[in-house]
């Protein structure tokens, strides 16, 4: 494991020295993040104007490479059609080349690809680099859960903040007002740099000294979004959906605090907490695919629905439900988290979608298991 650099320094020979930003990822949110950042680097004198964006290369139906089209049209025609990213965004399909000069690294890929990406980056980033993760998800190791910011931090030896919030990318792309939370540990100055880089008149960012709490909110809400989608697919109405969101929030808070005693109650009232839970259960991709899954009685797999409905975009909730289930099973906590447990069992076909609100042998205490004495 590399030692972590916690200092804010700009280690180059420019006078005055400037930060250089690279965005690792170019999906739906990655592209919107590049638009936000590129508008700010043009305005802020402490940043280089140019923003690099690493693109996982693919060939479009036209036969052209996605990277070439982004650089020619200034638009990510596959993942964010119709939105100009900013002329100062330069797409690069070569990961190592894209990060070579950067000392501010923004990670925003689906979480399942991050381990491979980190492996390729070891030894290839600047010694003064800082990172931020916009990724909602976790890895599960033999030792237990590993948050993506921890993976980045440990593999690359960098300080890694997180940015999470009620952030449906397509809405921010058309500049509708939203908020977000930067989670950090230690040095507030580093967090302030990130706040400055992302904030615009329509994107209000605040900092919160609770990196684990912020990241777990963003990660676990995707499991609750799947449950909300089941409720929609079964036409169960608003009261049921509100109940699922309430129980989900309790489980998010309960599990976060069991995993990290440092997690603060107040974090759940930030944009990354209750606000993200609401937006994701109303309008997110996880909700949408889970609704279709329930409408089909669980007969069409999530992989099939994702491919058909999202055109290359990736769901995080189904794999996160599996990862959460593994953690709960390993710790002997399955019965304490009936909603999380049931979501995974429905996704894998062990239970029907209707089980989301039914009492059964498999979950004898649902939803009363979530009693005040179970966890704070
Ligand atoms: N889209 C949103 O509204 C939104 C908002 C907030 C947070 N997020 C989070 O941001 C993260 C990234 O999501 P997104 O919406 O930008 O992506 P996306 O789901 O729109 O796109 C998938 C991306 O994965 C890339 N990809 C496919 N195979 C790959 C591989 N083998 N290796 C590396 N990359 C590969 C694709 O090229 C594409 O860029 C996720 O954790 C998501 O939860 C998304
Ligand atoms: O579309 P989803 O379900 O991946 O959710 C998107 C964002 O995380 C909402 O903040």
């Amino acid at each position: 494991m590399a030692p972590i650099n916690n200092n804010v320094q700009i280690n180059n020979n420019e006078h005055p020295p400037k930060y250089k930003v690279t965005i690792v990822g170019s999906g739906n949110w990655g592209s919107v993040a590049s638009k936000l950042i590129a508008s700010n680097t043009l305005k802020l004198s402490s940043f280089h104007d140019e923003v690099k964006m690493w693109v996982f290369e693919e060939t479009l139906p036209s036969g052209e490479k996605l990277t070439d089209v982004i650089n020619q049209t200034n638009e990510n025609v596959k993942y964010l059609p119709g939105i100009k990213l900013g002329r100062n965004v330069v797409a690069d399909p070569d990961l190592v080349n894209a990060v070579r000069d950067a000392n501010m690294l923004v990670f925003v890929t689906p979480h399942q690809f991050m381990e491979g990406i980190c492996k390729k980056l070891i030894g290839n980033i600047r010694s003064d680099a800082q990172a931020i993760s916009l990724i909602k998800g976790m890895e599960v190791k033999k030792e237990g859960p590993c948050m993506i910011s921890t993976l980045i931090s440990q593999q690359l030896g960098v300080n890694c903040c997180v940015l999470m919030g009620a952030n449906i990318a397509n809405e921010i792309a058309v500049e509708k007002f939203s908020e977000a939370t930067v989670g950090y540990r230690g040095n507030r100055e580093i967090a302030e740099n990130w706040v400055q880089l992302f904030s615009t008149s329509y994107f209000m960012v605040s900092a919160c000294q609770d990196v684990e709490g912020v990241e777990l909110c963003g990660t676990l809400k995707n499991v609750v979004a799947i449950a909300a989608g089941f409720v929609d697919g079964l036409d169960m109405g608003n009261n049921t959906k509100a109940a699922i969101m309430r129980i989900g929030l309790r489980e998010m808070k309960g599990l976060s605090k069991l995993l990290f005693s440092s997690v603060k109650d107040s974090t759940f009232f930030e944009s990354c907490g209750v606000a993200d839970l609401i937006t994701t259960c109303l309008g997110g991709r996880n909700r949408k695919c889970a609704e279709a899954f329930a409408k089909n009685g669980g007969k069409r797999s999530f992989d099939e629905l994702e491919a058909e409905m999202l055109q290359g975009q990736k769901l995080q909730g189904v794999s996160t439900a599996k990862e959460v289930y593994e953690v709960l099973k390993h710790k002997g906590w399955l019965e304490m988290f009936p909603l999380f447990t049931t979501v995974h069992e429905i996704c894998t076909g062990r239970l029907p979608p209707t089980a989301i609100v039914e009492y059964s042998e498999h979950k004898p205490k649902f939803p009363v298991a979530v009693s005040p004495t179970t966890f704070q």
Side-chain angles (χ1 to χ4, degrees), residues 112-149:
Q112 57 270 36
F113 304 129
M114 270 314 294
E115 201 151 17
I117 289 171
C118 280
K119 280 205 179 102
K120 289 188 189 134
L121 291 181
I122 292 172
N124 288 311
I125 62 166
R126 277 173 57 162
S127 60
D128 62 339
Q130 304 289 335
I132 193 164
S133 170
L134 278 51
I135 299 166
K136 294 176 175 173
M138 62 162 92
E139 290 285 324
V140 180
K141 310 266 175 215
K142 278 201 298 294
E143 319 80 76
C146 175
M147 303 312 296
I148 298 299
S149 68

Side-chain angles (χ1 to χ4, degrees), residues 26-30 54 56 58 79 108-111 113 117 134-136 167-170 222 285 312-314 316:
S26 53
N28 188 231
W29 184 218
W54 172 66
F56 178 76
E58 51 192 296
Y79 294 101
V108 53
T109 70
H111 76 280
F113 304 129
I117 289 171
L134 278 51
I135 299 166
K136 294 176 175 173
N167 297 151
I168 290 182
N170 289 336
N222 281 334
R285 301 167 297 186
Q313 294 185 33
K314 300 283 179 201
Q316 304 283 262

Side-chain angles (χ1 to χ4, degrees), residues 10-21 45-50 101 103 126 128:
I10 315 183
N11 190 6
N12 59 27
N13 297 324
E14 282 164 332
H15 295 288
K18 290 180 179 223
Y19 294 105
K20 257 183 182 281
V21 185
S45 59
S46 51
F47 293 87
H48 274 274
D49 288 355
E50 183 183 283
D101 298 327
N103 52 1
R126 277 173 57 162
D128 62 339

Side-chain angles (χ1 to χ4, degrees), residues 232-306:
D232 285 346
L234 297 167
D235 276 331
M236 303 196 73
N238 294 328
N239 294 341
T240 309
K241 193 151 148 186
I244 288 297
M245 288 162 71
R246 184 197 74 81
I247 295 164
L249 184 60
R250 272 194 73 94
E251 292 198 6
M252 285 167 58
K253 181 167 158 248
L255 183 55
S256 302
K257 295 187 95 156
L258 279 174
L259 291 174
F260 297 96
S261 58
S262 59
V263 168
K264 298 175 183 164
D265 286 355
S266 56
T267 301
F268 295 86
F269 294 97
E270 298 292 338
S271 177
C272 63
V274 67
D276 196 9
L277 182 68
I278 292 169
T279 203
T280 207
C281 288
L282 298 183
R285 301 167 297 186
N286 287 288
R287 187 219 65 83
K288 182 172 154 185
C289 291
E291 179 184 39
F293 182 90
K295 273 195 196 307
N296 285 287
K299 295 202 171 57
R300 297 189 65 201
S301 72
F302 269 103
D303 283 348
E304 203 181 329
L305 293 166
E306 178 188 70

Side-chain angles (χ1 to χ4, degrees), residues 326-347:
E326 283 168 17
V327 172
L328 298 178
K329 194 166 175 199
H330 179 72
K331 302 260 189 197
W333 294 342
L334 282 173
E335 287 215 348
M336 288 165 67
F337 296 92
L339 182 77
F340 288 161
T341 303
T342 305
V343 168
H344 175 63
E345 292 188 333
I346 295 172
C347 290

Side-chain angles (χ1 to χ4, degrees), residues 27-233:
N28 188 231
W29 184 218
S31 300
V32 176
S34 76
K35 179 186 160 173
L36 289 167
I37 290 170
S39 71
N40 279 332
T41 59
L42 289 180
K43 290 185 205 139
L44 300 167
S45 59
S46 51
F47 293 87
H48 274 274
D49 288 355
E50 183 183 283
V51 175
K52 282 249 177 95
M53 179 173 77
W54 172 66
V55 174
F56 178 76
E57 190 63 292
E58 51 192 296
T59 305
L60 298 171
S62 61
E64 296 162 292
K65 296 286 185 205
L66 178 58
T67 307
D68 293 339
V69 175
I70 294 173
N71 284 333
Q72 280 153 20
T73 64
N74 195 227
E75 213 177 295
N76 188 337
V77 290
K78 176 154 182 188
Y79 294 101
L80 192 65
I83 302 292
K84 294 293 177 196
L85 303 180
R87 284 270 159 223
N88 49 329
V89 175
V90 176
D92 188 340
D94 180 333
L95 179 61
V96 170
N97 192 52
V99 301
R100 194 186 308 281
D101 298 327
N103 52 1
M104 292 187 83
L105 299 171
V106 178
F107 289 95
V108 53
T109 70
H111 76 280
Q112 57 270 36
F113 304 129
M114 270 314 294
E115 201 151 17
I117 289 171
C118 280
K119 280 205 179 102
K120 289 188 189 134
L121 291 181
I122 292 172
N124 288 311
I125 62 166
R126 277 173 57 162
S127 60
D128 62 339
Q130 304 289 335
I132 193 164
S133 170
L134 278 51
I135 299 166
K136 294 176 175 173
M138 62 162 92
E139 290 285 324
V140 180
K141 310 266 175 215
K142 278 201 298 294
E143 319 80 76
C146 175
M147 303 312 296
I148 298 299
S149 68
T150 310
L151 180 81
I152 294 168
S153 196
Q154 290 183 344
Q155 298 274 311
L156 305 181
V158 294
N159 178 294
C160 189
C161 293
V162 298
L163 181 145
M164 308 277 143
N167 297 151
I168 290 182
N170 289 336
E171 297 179 15
I172 300 166
V174 292
E175 307 191 1
K176 292 183 177 167
F177 177 79
S178 304
E179 297 177 308
T181 315
V182 164
Y184 72 100
R185 82 168 58 78
N187 191 337
R188 173 133 193 144
E189 212 187 319
I190 294 179
E192 292 299 344
N193 256 357
W194 291 116
V195 168
Q196 198 186 26
L197 185 63
F198 280 92
S199 296
T200 68
S201 56
Y202 59 91
F203 195 62
M204 191 177 279
V205 187
S206 51
C208 169
Q209 193 173 16
D210 181 8
V211 71
E212 287 88 5
V214 173
E215 192 168 7
L216 275 160
C217 278
T219 298
L220 297 175
K221 67 84 187 167
N222 281 334
V223 183
V224 187
I226 299 279
F230 293 153
V231 165
D232 285 346

